[in-house]
Amino acid sequence: MAQAPDGVPVITRGDDLAARLTPALAALRWPDGSTGVAEGDVVVVASKVVAKAEGRLVAARDAAEREAVIAGETVRVVATRQRPDGTMLRIVENTQGLVMAAAGVDSSDVPAGTALLLPEDPDASARRLRRGLHARLGVRPGVLVTDTAGRPWRRGLVDMAIGAAGVRVLADHRGRRDAYGRELNVTVISLADEIAAAAELVKGKAAGRPVAVVRGMAHAVTLEDGDGAATLIRPPAEDMFRHGVDAD
Amino acid sequence: MAQAPDGVPVITRGDDLAARLTPALAALRWPDGSTGVAEGDVVVVASKVVAKAEGRLVAARDAAEREAVIAGETVRVVATRQRPDGTMLRIVENTQGLVMAAAGVDSSDVPAGTALLLPEDPDASARRLRRGLHARLGVRPGVLVTDTAGRPWRRGLVDMAIGAAGVRVLADHRGRRDAYGRELNVTVISLADEIAAAAELVKGKAAGRPVAVVRGMAHAVTLEDGDGAATLIRPPAEDMFRHGVDAD
């Protein structure tokens, strides 16, 4: 069960994100008659509003400046392809360790002449938001910071978790047995990415709903903030698709 | 909002899947007091039970036979890596066009000495199940057939849609404008994969719940069966990560 409240105000640099989100979150109404955010809920926030609150807008007045911004966020070029219009599409590993087009730099839904960097440390952003929501709402939901990304081999984008606090990001089923008594071979599920996807279904795109609450996730919410979404990044030694060249 | 009913019977070769699933689906109870499946719902079924109903269990008595089964489903080897135990992990494109480990051949939760192939044509399976559910339930939900797969760069597996009927698998936002009047650069969302992920959150793993119903998806459900999940497979010309060698 998930809901995305209307009425979230525009977020700008220096905003206290928890304070800005709290009224809309507290006003949520659930089918069982309850309101607001409860223990065991996960609050899922688009990285865009987190980055705006953190002042991550930078100048990018033309294509060359935008390219320079992307280069500054790039650690390694993983793959390149020429687009039909002659420009280059670059899939890169960025400073957060994420592999994304344009290093995750966002040029959509930002003021003309600017670009928006991802939060510098999305797990720290999630922990900070969680503390703020706890102080204001009196409950301690899990918090995810999400971004939208493409995948190899599959058309269409999906949301994924780039920051997490108080969420068991991986559900480890190793050791569980199947109905025939043998160990399961599907062993570790990315709960955080699945919650991010479920939240996107209710947030939608360009609808002014950058936050959603996913209910019924008590098994995924932890008292401790935990290791965060950085643990979802596959270590290079396990990664069969992180070829490419180090950026200058 | 999503629910996975208990009480789905064990599915075996030759079962009429719609008939076997109908009692558990019809018994679902929703927070608003309604029951069963409604128009605008999406019924999400694990490929495993679809494949079992379709008789896709084959003999695989030892590692060599299992390797031969996987080779038979392989069209192209995309990447290989030696596991710590010396065996080879192969990511391959299979006969359905999907890029997966072990070609999507399932050796978990099947009788000893067997392996389970994916449904031969998962979109056809979804259409057939949709027809059967419509006949029995009197409503025409969307249907997804899902499987669990790994991703490059990210730890943990997620569910994705490999078959679809009556589901708008891609939500195309091209042409939509942002708050500043410019065209959005996040343009095509994989609704079907996000619904698959949301369904996995309630189905869980090895819990005997191979089917879920996702409610509130009326915007994603279509009267026509549509082109199915095959449209989610990225065409080779757009794919930057389908290097590799043709299988023999």
Side-chain angles (χ1 to χ4, degrees), chain B residues 10-76:
Chain B
V10 172
I11 306 292
T12 55
R13 181 190 189 105
D15 277 350
D16 179 330
L17 191 59
R20 299 285 280 167
L21 296 181
T22 288
L25 291 172
L28 275 173
R29 303 181 72 85
W30 297 90
D32 66 358
S34 67
T35 58
V37 177
E39 299 288 351
D41 290 352
V42 179
V43 175
V44 182
V45 186
S47 67
K48 185 186 288 276
V49 297
V50 175
K52 284 183 173 175
E54 294 178 359
R56 300 282 285 166
L57 268 182
V58 296
R61 279 160 292 190
D62 54 26
E65 282 195 6
R66 193 162 51 244
E67 284 301 307
V69 168
I70 292 169
E73 297 297 300
T74 297
V75 171
R76 177 190 287 266

Side-chain angles (χ1 to χ4, degrees), chain A residues 110 176 182 194 200 205, chain B residues 110 182 194 200 205:
Chain A
V110 294
R176 275 214 218 173
R182 288 191 311 274
E194 292 193 332
E200 203 286 321
K205 284 289 139 190
Chain B
V110 293
R182 288 191 310 275
E194 293 194 332
E200 203 286 320
K205 284 289 140 190

Side-chain angles (χ1 to χ4, degrees), chain B residues 216-235:
Chain B
M217 291 290 114
H219 59 292
V221 176
T222 58
L223 185 60
E224 301 297 320
D225 287 338
D227 292 334
T231 58
L232 291 173
I233 296 173
R234 198 182 279 276

Side-chain angles (χ1 to χ4, degrees), chain A:
Chain A
M1 188 159 13
Q3 281 196 75
D6 289 318
V8 174
V10 171
I11 306 291
T12 56
R13 181 191 189 103
D15 277 349
D16 179 329
L17 191 59
R20 299 286 280 166
L21 297 181
T22 288
L25 291 172
L28 275 173
R29 302 181 70 86
W30 297 90
D32 65 359
S34 65
T35 59
V37 178
E39 299 289 351
D41 289 353
V42 179
V43 174
V44 182
V45 186
S47 66
K48 185 186 289 275
V49 297
V50 176
K52 284 182 172 174
E54 294 178 358
R56 301 282 284 167
L57 268 181
V58 297
R61 281 159 291 189
D62 54 27
E65 283 195 6
R66 195 160 51 245
E67 284 302 306
V69 168
I70 293 169
E73 297 297 301
T74 298
V75 171
R76 177 189 287 264
V77 178
V78 175
T80 61
R81 181 167 65 86
Q82 196 165 20
R83 292 196 190 88
D85 67 3
T87 62
M88 292 304 290
L89 172 63
R90 285 190 184 81
I91 310 295
V92 309
E93 179 182 337
N94 67 14
T95 53
Q96 288 82 5
L98 301 164
V99 179
M100 306 180 83
V105 174
D106 194 347
S107 303
S108 173
D109 207 14
V110 294
T114 69
L116 185 64
L117 311 184
L118 289 175
E120 190 167 4
D121 180 347
D123 283 325
S125 305
R127 290 192 295 269
R128 196 161 45 238
L129 177 57
R130 191 183 196 212
R131 276 199 306 275
L133 292 175
H134 182 213
R136 283 167 182 78
L137 296 167
V139 295
R140 202 190 299 262
V143 169
L144 294 180
V145 175
T146 61
D147 205 51
T148 306
R151 298 88 43 90
W153 316 319
R154 308 279 294 166
R155 291 176 66 209
L157 309 173
V158 295
D159 271 19
M160 63 179 191
I162 68 169
V167 176
R168 194 160 55 101
V169 295
L170 291 166
D172 194 337
H173 297 155
R174 280 176 292 198
R176 275 214 218 173
R177 303 276 156 178
D178 66 24
Y180 300 89
R182 288 191 311 274
E183 204 164 307
L184 280 176
N185 65 358
V186 171
T187 49
V188 181
I189 298 293
S190 178
L191 265 186
D193 283 342
E194 292 193 332
I195 296 169
E200 203 286 321
L201 287 173
V202 296
K203 284 190 301 179
K205 284 289 139 190
R209 289 183 295 180
V211 59
V213 178
V214 182
R215 183 151 284 189
M217 290 291 115
H219 59 292
V221 177
T222 57
L223 185 61
E224 301 296 321
D225 286 339
D227 292 333
T231 57
L232 291 172
I233 297 173
R234 197 182 280 277
E238 291 177 13
D239 196 329
M240 299 160 78
F241 299 94
R242 200 177 293 244
H243 325 298
V245 295
D246 289 336
D248 293 330

